[in-house]
């Protein structure tokens, strides 16, 4: 049995992608449990910070998703850690300060539009944590996208935010019952108070991931953003 | 009034009496009149600031203009001063202020400072500690320059972090997102790395990719240069929203192993930021309207301060503190006079003077020479040290902050005046602005 600290739950469409941390002696590394027949979960009832016991089998994943492991049995929750402690462990796992160090390869700008991508064969991994000098979240057609500055000063623009909790927060903020001008109110919140709430948090931290290859390219995503959104923030705008 | 080219014996006596009277006022009645050839500074009768004050008193009493330029390389003695007075007699005196005030410039500029901020290094060091670090007697900076403490950057702070902090606070105060900026204009006398300061701030603030990033020079004059560029960009319609950021971290460059304490000990670390927009923009409710700027370069003082990288990696500093002090006072007073003339705003009605502050004693002297209250000069250098291009920014922010607490009717104009090595000089003014269309 393997003990896995769940650090990421991302959502794109109806499916969830899950990543956890596994400690092997002194090394802490990211592991992505996947079902036997797919790359993502249609139902994942656990939360970030949960420590799950599970059985994982090596999986011949295509580069760069070397973290994939097949979950051969269900997950059993043994305990949980709080948000700040989760970040403490994430800071001991894969980390980078600059763009080429994120996935061990060159990162390319999308010549036809927004976003950044890597070539699958070049990338050495598909997940990495980093500190940020600054971060901005913006809404594009009700989807959350992030622009951030790495410690190296390099700027990553227009990354889709796939963090489940943040996507749920945006959905809740834009729910019809929230009244008029809710998009404008949310944008104002993201532009002002948000910045201070996020950047001043001692456990502010992000993890970036690569999508599965699509037309021979893996696209950068903002997988996880700490601190996680608080339900009470919805009362502020 | 001008002095005739050739001075008669009676006139020489009259000049001498004038000089002696000014000396007594500066040094006190108990100090005997020294021998004509005694160097007053070397003899310890006056310190360099006292000598500058004495010179300005003589200039004021005699109507002689810019005596300092006749005294370069000469001793601080009565003989040299009397000779300079005679040499200056062929130069016509400046026209009286009342003559110049007849033709105020029209207010054509429509650019407003909508928000501002100021950040200093988070280590506040008593000036006595800095004295000791530079191997000077404890209390020298306080007694000679009037500096009580200095703001030094902490380990994690630099021009980019201080500038970004000031800019973020200004953006927050204006409820403006960084993505609304069309230009970031940065100035610093200590940041010489690449990417440049403006480029690094652009990344740090996450401005739009098509927001321009421009660095301007001018050292302590940098803020005025940057404001003038920003004003031009907005007036010409090329930009709607511009951030001007100053940031200077002297404590890592002007270190005790590189420069003398009389120079390096004066400087602290800080940053300032200003958001500028069109006065008629819907988002511009109130702020301060930028007037015109005047700029120039008085090359005769170029040797008073020169800083260069030496071949061996050390810092080559040429610093004639006394000549620079004289030039600073004389030139800033002139700039303030010119701003008064161009704006049509009498200095007596100005709410605050955002000037360069080489050191607090010079600021007090400038206030005295200008005939205005020293309270109108925010005491930046006294508590933070000379912050380079950020001194003027810090002073302007403090004045704007004070004005924001006043009712609209109480707000008064602001004068800007600053200097940079060269001797570059510049000035300008701001007037209170309110967008009545929005009010209605």
């Amino acid at each position: 049995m393997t003990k896995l600290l769940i650090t990421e739950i991302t959502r794109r469409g109806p499916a969830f992608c899950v990543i956890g941390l596994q400690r092997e002696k002194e090394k802490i590394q990211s592991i992505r449990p996947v079902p036997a027949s797919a790359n993502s979960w249609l139902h994942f009832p656990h939360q970030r910070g949960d420590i799950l016991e599970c059985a994982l089998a090596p999986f011949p994943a295509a580069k760069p998703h070397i973290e994939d492991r097949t979950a051969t049995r269900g997950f059993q929750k043994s305990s949980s850690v709080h948000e700040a402690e989760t970040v403490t462990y994430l800071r001991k796992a894969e980390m980078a300060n600059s763009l080429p160090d994120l996935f061990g390869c060159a990162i390319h700008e999308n010549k036809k539009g927004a976003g950044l991508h890597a070539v699958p064969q070049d990338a050495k991994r598909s997940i990495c944590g980093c500190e940020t000098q600054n971060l901005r979240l913006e809404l594009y057609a009700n989807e959350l996208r992030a622009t951030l500055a790495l410690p190296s000063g390099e700027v990553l623009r227009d990354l889709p935010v796939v963090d489940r909790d943040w996507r749920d927060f945006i959905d809740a903020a834009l729910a019809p019952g929230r009244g008029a001008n809710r998009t404008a109110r949310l944008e104002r919140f993201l532009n002002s108070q948000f910045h201070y709430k996020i950047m001043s948090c001692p456990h502010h931290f992000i993890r970036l991931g690569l999508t599965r290859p699509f037309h021979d390219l893996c696209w950068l995503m903002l997988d996880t953003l700490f601190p996680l959104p608080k339900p009470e923030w919805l009362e502020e705008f | 009034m001008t002095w005739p080219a050739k001075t008669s014996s009676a006139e020489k006596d009259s000049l001498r009496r004038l000089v002696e009277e000014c000396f007594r006022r500066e040094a006190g009645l108990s100090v005997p009149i020294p021998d004509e050839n005694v160097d007053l500074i070397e003899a310890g009768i006056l310190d360099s600031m006292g000598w500058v004050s004495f010179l300005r008193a003589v200039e004021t009493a005699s109507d002689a203009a810019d005596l300092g330029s006749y005294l370069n390389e000469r001793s601080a003695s009565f003989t040299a001063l009397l000779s300079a007075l005679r040499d200056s007699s062929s130069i016509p005196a400046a026209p009286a202020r009342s003559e110049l005030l007849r033709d105020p410039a029209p207010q054509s500029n429509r650019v407003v400072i909508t928000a501002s901020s100021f950040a200093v290094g988070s280590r506040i060091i008593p000036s006595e500690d800095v004295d000791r670090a530079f191997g000077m007697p404890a209390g020298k900076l306080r007694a000679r320059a009037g500096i009580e403490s200095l703001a030094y950057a902490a380990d994690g702070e630099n021009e980019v972090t201080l500038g970004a902090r000031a800019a973020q606070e200004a953006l927050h105060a204006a409820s403006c997102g960084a993505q609304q900026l069309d230009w970031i204009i940065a100035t610093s006398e200590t940041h010489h790395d690449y990417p440049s300061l403006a480029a690094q701030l652009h990344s740090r603030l996450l401005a739009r990719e098509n927001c321009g990033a421009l660095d301007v020079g001018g050292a302590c004059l940098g803020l005025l240069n940057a404001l003038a560029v920003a004003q031009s960009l907005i007036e010409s319609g090329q930009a709607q929203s511009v951030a001007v950021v100053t940031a200077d971290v002297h404590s890592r460059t002007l270190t005790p192993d590189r420069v003398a304490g009389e120079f390096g000990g004066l400087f602290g670390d800080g940053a300032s930021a200003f958001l500028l927009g069109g006065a008629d923009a819907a988002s511009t409710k109130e702020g301060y309207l930028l007037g015109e700027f005047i700029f120039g370069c008085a090359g005769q003082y170029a040797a008073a301060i020169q800083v260069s990288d030496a071949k061996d990696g050390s810092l080559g500093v040429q610093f004639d503190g006394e000549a620079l002090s004289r030039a600073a006072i004389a030139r800033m007073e002139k700039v303030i006079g010119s701003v008064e003339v161009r704006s049509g705003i009498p200095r007596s009605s100005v709410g605050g003077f955002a000037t360069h502050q080489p050191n607090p004693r010079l600021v007090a002297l400038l206030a005295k020479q200008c005939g205005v209250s020293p309270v109108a000069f925010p005491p930046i250098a006294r508590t933070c040290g000379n912050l380079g291009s950020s001194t003027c920014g810090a002073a302007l922010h403090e004045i704007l902050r004070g004005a924001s607490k006043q009712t609209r009717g109480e707000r008064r104009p602001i004068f800007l005046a600053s200097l940079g090595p060269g001797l570059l000089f510049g000035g300008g003014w701001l007037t209170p602005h309110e967008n009545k269309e929005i009010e209605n």
Side-chain angles (χ1 to χ4, degrees), chain B residues 281-296:
Chain B
S283 57
T284 306
K285 191 175 174 185
E286 60 180 47
Y288 262 79
L289 194 68
L290 278 179
E292 293 176 21
F293 287 96
I294 51 168
F295 292 104

Side-chain angles (χ1 to χ4, degrees), chain A residues 133-134 136 147 157 191 196, chain B residues 168 172 179 203-204 206-207:
Chain A
Q133 288 184 344
N134 200 357
R136 186 171 68 240
T147 296
R157 292 182 183 277
N191 265 329
Y196 286 84
Chain B
Q168 292 278 19
H172 184 60
Q179 63 272 35
S203 294
R204 182 63 76 106
L206 300 178

Side-chain angles (χ1 to χ4, degrees), chain A residues 109 133-138 147-149 151 153-157 191-193 195-196, chain B residues 160 165 168-169 172-173 175-180 200 202-209:
Chain A
E109 192 177 10
Q133 288 184 344
N134 200 357
L135 172 77
R136 186 171 68 240
L137 294 184
E138 290 169 288
T147 296
L148 58 98
E154 293 160 303
V155 175
L156 283 70
R157 292 182 183 277
N191 265 329
S192 52
Q193 292 97 326
H195 190 264
Y196 286 84
Chain B
V160 179
R165 196 203 312 167
Q168 292 278 19
E169 286 173 8
H172 184 60
S175 298
C176 172
Q179 63 272 35
Q180 290 170 250
Q200 290 198 49
H202 187 286
S203 294
R204 182 63 76 106
L205 296 173
L206 300 178
R208 283 192 333 267
E209 208 163 49

Side-chain angles (χ1 to χ4, degrees), chain B residues 358-376:
Chain B
N359 69 54
R361 281 188 67 189
L362 276 179
V363 176
L365 191 52
L366 177 64
K368 183 175 148 192
Q369 291 301 323
C370 289
V372 297
S373 167
V375 177

